[in-house]
Amino acid sequence: MGLRTAAQFKAGLRDGRVIYCKGERVEDVTTHHDLGIAVEHVALDFDLAEGPEHRELFSWEDPESGQRCSRYYKVPTCADDLLKRREMIERSTRLGGSVVLLIKEIGTDALFALDLVSQQVDQHCNTPYRDRVAAYHRHCKERDLTIAVAQTDVKGDRSLLPSQQEHPDYYVHIVEERPDGIVVRGAKAHTTCAPYVDEIIVLPTRAFGVEDGPFAVAFAVPVNTPGLKLIASPFGSPPPSQFHHPVSSRHRMVDTLTIFDDVFVPWERVFLKGETPFAGTLANTFVEFHRFTAVSYKPPLCDLLIGAAALMAEYNGIEKASHVREKLMKLIAYTETVRGLSRAAAYDCRLAANGTAVPNIVMTNLAKYHFANNYHQAVCWVQDIAGGLVVTGPAEEDLENPDTKGYIERLLGGKKGVSTRDRLRAFNLVRDLTASDFGGYNELLAIHAEGSLETQKITILRDFDLKRCKALAKEAIGAA
Ligand SMILES: Cc1cc2nc3c(=O)[nH]c(=O)nc-3n(C[C@H](O)[C@H](O)[C@H](O)COP(=O)(O)OP(=O)(O)OC[C@H]3O[C@@H](n4cnc5c(N)ncnc54)[C@H](O)[C@@H]3O)c2cc1C
């Protein structure tokens, strides 16, 4: 098949999957009044691979199958592959209103990590995982499938290992081994895009102790597998109008509590089963690829924040004020640092033992840390420039009501020549991005998605070559 159309993708989602949203079972995710918005949003991925303008970037001639496939499935083997991957992610996010699509990005991050780590597990434990991963990669690539990744367990008491928890289901684990596969139980949290993808890859979320064998498990299942149940988060439920919510009324992500209620996984879909020393390796290797995806999709949101702030400054007549120019400069510096570091991570990649190009870990984590640690400050600059009407302005209905329309148009004008309606739209853009359900979602996404701040600090310290710098210091003081 190679490439699917958006219509084929949507048809594939009508497969009896079990999804709950706000207390009700979702019969058809593609037409659901709430989740359907996210389906339309991600369908852009298929349009990009088909349309003449973006086809060259978003698809590629796969020598293995002889088909034109989604470029997301191309294993990166050099800096140029990573730069193209980065550009695909940035461009699709920009065209998606600053909201990442994430229906192939995260899944292929997991496939690259699984290939790398399964090679090591096979060498040490004489397991057959690498061939299974390769067959699964082919399966997804040739059918143009979409994949979510469920890594983060619900975790219970964070200070305890899985086997020490009061409740064993706080981490997904194996409850039965059969001749044809395993049965798993437990739950993962925050699984982005799960209601509207074909497959879910499950990975361990952290390093485990030897006693945590049943929890050291990695596998993949189709979303309609019996026993798999998704409870969608209501956060960012459909906002009322494009006027009030110019971005989030058309673009959104949905995350789920992903429940494995005795789910059967056939052997060919099992990629780790009890090899505890490799659980942490797999968790970290996935993150090495996935944080690169993260820092590739962050800049379009930052660009939109810069644009919204600059537009508000112009509409309010303060664009020449020195404090405004300084805040705009800081927003630009913030954004371009993330963008520049993400490009540098691609240029400065390393080749792993299996030939895969891995983005530079320190650059990637610096970009992610810089983005997350300063996001709320960036929002503060935008809100400061925009002013209070971001949250106190009138409703669209008041602009339509003949009794109030005239007052609003006359009284809420800004700089001469700017229509009041456009000025109000600009306020609403800032509200949507920073002071709405969607704005709050973006703040939490900045801090926690792809790992919270501490994980980036640990990774930077672990991977930075401190020895080299200490040697320089010793040389400077003439120490032995
Ligand atoms: C919008 C969004 C989308 C996401 N999408 C996905 C997805 O698609 N797939 C997926 O698998 N995950 C996803 N995540 C999960 C994300 O990776 C986690 O939120 C993140 O790793 C933090 O985990 P947590 O939410 O359980 O918070 P916690 O782990 O509870 O973290 C809260 C605080 O506790 C601290 N903490 C936690 N454990 C310890 C400890 N042992 N010792 C000391 N401090 C500790 C953390 O550093 C942090 O400061 C998503 C998250 C968000 C917000």
Side-chain angles (χ1 to χ4, degrees):
M1 183 186 271
L3 289 170
R4 284 191 296 174
T5 62
Q8 287 169 323
F9 157 66
K10 287 182 205 166
L13 301 178
R14 297 183 198 109
D15 58 3
R17 57 190 55 211
V18 180
I19 310 168
Y20 296 93
C21 182
K22 292 194 204 162
E24 286 175 3
R25 173 88 189 262
V26 175
E27 289 308 324
D28 180 349
V29 68
T30 66
T31 55
H32 188 260
H33 63 283
D34 190 342
L35 309 185
I37 295 172
V39 176
E40 288 304 323
H41 168 68
V42 301
L44 173 65
D45 176 276
F46 297 90
D47 297 336
L48 290 173
E50 251 189 304
E53 196 184 340
H54 305 286
R55 184 181 156 86
E56 204 45 46
L57 179 64
F58 283 84
S59 63
W60 122 102
E61 287 298 333
D62 170 33
E64 190 185 32
S65 64
Q67 295 169 330
R68 198 148 184 100
C69 295
S70 167
R71 188 184 289 279
Y72 283 114
Y73 282 104
K74 184 175 195 310
V75 179
T77 56
C78 59
D80 188 55
D81 283 344
L82 286 171
L83 286 167
K84 285 206 173 80
R85 189 171 167 84
R86 184 200 166 281
E87 173 56 23
M88 270 195 295
I89 296 168
E90 174 158 359
R91 194 184 297 181
S92 55
T93 305
R94 178 167 50 78
L95 295 169
S98 79
V99 179
V100 66
L101 308 186
L102 214 68
I103 52 171
K104 290 178 189 158
E105 299 85 328
I106 189 169
T108 48
D109 288 336
L111 287 172
F112 303 156
L114 279 165
D115 181 53
L116 231 160
V117 177
S118 62
Q119 187 182 32
Q120 298 168 25
V121 187
D122 288 359
Q123 271 165 10
H124 284 85
C125 309
N126 199 23
T127 45
Y129 296 140
R130 196 167 185 219
D131 285 346
R132 289 182 192 170
V133 171
Y136 179 64
H137 188 139
R138 263 197 312 278
H139 172 83
C140 295
K141 175 182 68 180
E142 291 174 9
R143 287 163 186 75
D144 203 18
L145 297 183
T146 52
I147 311 172
V149 173
Q151 177 179 40
T152 314
D153 292 270
V154 289
K155 294 190 294 200
D157 182 335
R158 271 65 177 150
S159 68
L160 301 178
L161 285 167
S163 54
Q164 299 165 338
Q165 299 280 345
E166 185 189 359
H167 199 316
D169 296 348
Y170 286 154
Y171 285 78
V172 169
H173 59 293
I174 301 167
V175 288
E176 190 187 342
E177 252 186 76
R178 294 186 192 166
D180 49 351
I182 56 173
V183 177
V184 294
R185 190 183 296 163
K188 299 274 185 179
H190 338 273
T191 317
T192 305
C193 302
Y196 42 89
V197 290
D198 304 290
E199 296 272 327
I200 295 188
I201 294 180
V202 174
L203 299 176
T205 198
R206 55 177 290 180
F208 294 135
V210 275
E211 62 279 25
D212 296 315
F215 302 89
V217 62
F219 58 89
V221 283
V223 176
N224 67 350
T225 301
L228 182 58
K229 293 169 186 169
L230 307 174
I231 303 179
S233 164
F235 220 77
S237 271
S241 77
Q242 273 194 38
F243 179 79
H244 290 117
H245 301 273
V247 176
S248 63
S249 56
R250 289 172 297 150
H251 306 285
R252 63 171 302 204
M253 296 198 280
V254 176
D255 316 282
T256 62
L257 176 64
T258 306
I259 299 164
F260 297 83
D261 188 2
D262 290 0
V263 170
F264 172 72
V265 187
W267 286 124
E268 65 268 21
R269 295 292 195 98
V270 177
F271 309 131
L272 192 77
K273 183 191 70 70
E275 295 82 7
T276 44
F278 292 95
T281 315
L282 183 53
N284 283 334
T285 309
F286 164 65
V287 163
E288 285 175 17
F289 290 103
H290 189 48
R291 277 194 198 137
F292 178 69
T293 288
V295 295
S296 304
Y297 82 71
K298 306 297 187 190
L301 174 60
C302 302
D303 285 346
L304 202 52
L305 287 172
I306 297 172
L311 205 57
M312 279 308 336
E314 186 189 318
Y315 286 1
N316 286 343
I318 54 168
E319 72 270 35
K320 295 202 176 102
S322 61
H323 79 94
V324 171
R325 288 177 62 75
E326 189 189 334
K327 282 166 192 147
L328 283 174
M329 189 287 295
K330 285 181 176 165
L331 281 167
I332 294 166
Y334 166 65
T335 303
E336 289 306 310
T337 302
V338 177
R339 186 175 270 123
L341 282 168
S342 70
R343 288 200 178 119
Y347 280 115
D348 225 356
C349 60
R350 73 177 163 86
L351 276 193
N354 67 347
T356 303
V358 183
N360 181 285
I361 294 174
V362 173
M363 301 285 173
T364 302
N365 279 272
L366 278 174
K368 172 65 174 67
Y369 182 75
H370 177 75
F371 170 81
N373 200 36
N374 294 297
Y375 185 78
H376 291 63
Q377 176 62 70
V379 165
C380 170
W381 289 323
V382 178
Q383 290 178 340
D384 176 75
I385 290 172
L389 273 176
V390 165
V391 291
T392 63
E396 184 175 26
E397 293 80 355
D398 297 315
L399 257 176
E400 305 307 330
N401 182 345
D403 290 349
T404 48
K405 183 177 183 315
Y407 289 121
I408 295 170
E409 286 187 343
R410 193 172 75 248
L411 299 173
L412 291 185
K415 192 177 184 162
K416 194 175 169 201
V418 175
S419 90
T420 300
R421 196 170 274 264
D422 280 352
R423 183 165 177 258
L424 292 177
R425 280 185 202 281
F427 280 120
N428 287 347
L429 175 61
V430 175
R431 181 172 58 204
D432 199 17
L433 292 177
T434 71
S436 64
D437 238 20
F438 178 60
Y441 179 92
N442 277 336
E443 291 193 340
L444 257 293
L445 182 121
I447 295 294
H448 278 297
E450 306 99 21
S452 35
L453 288 162
E454 294 310 311
T455 59
Q456 284 117 65
K457 288 192 207 164
I458 292 166
T459 312
I460 290 164
L461 275 169
R462 191 192 60 210
D463 273 78
F464 182 77
D465 189 359
L466 265 181
K467 270 196 194 142
R468 178 180 62 84
C469 296
K470 270 166 77 179
L472 285 175
K474 274 188 170 176
E475 195 182 308
I477 62 169

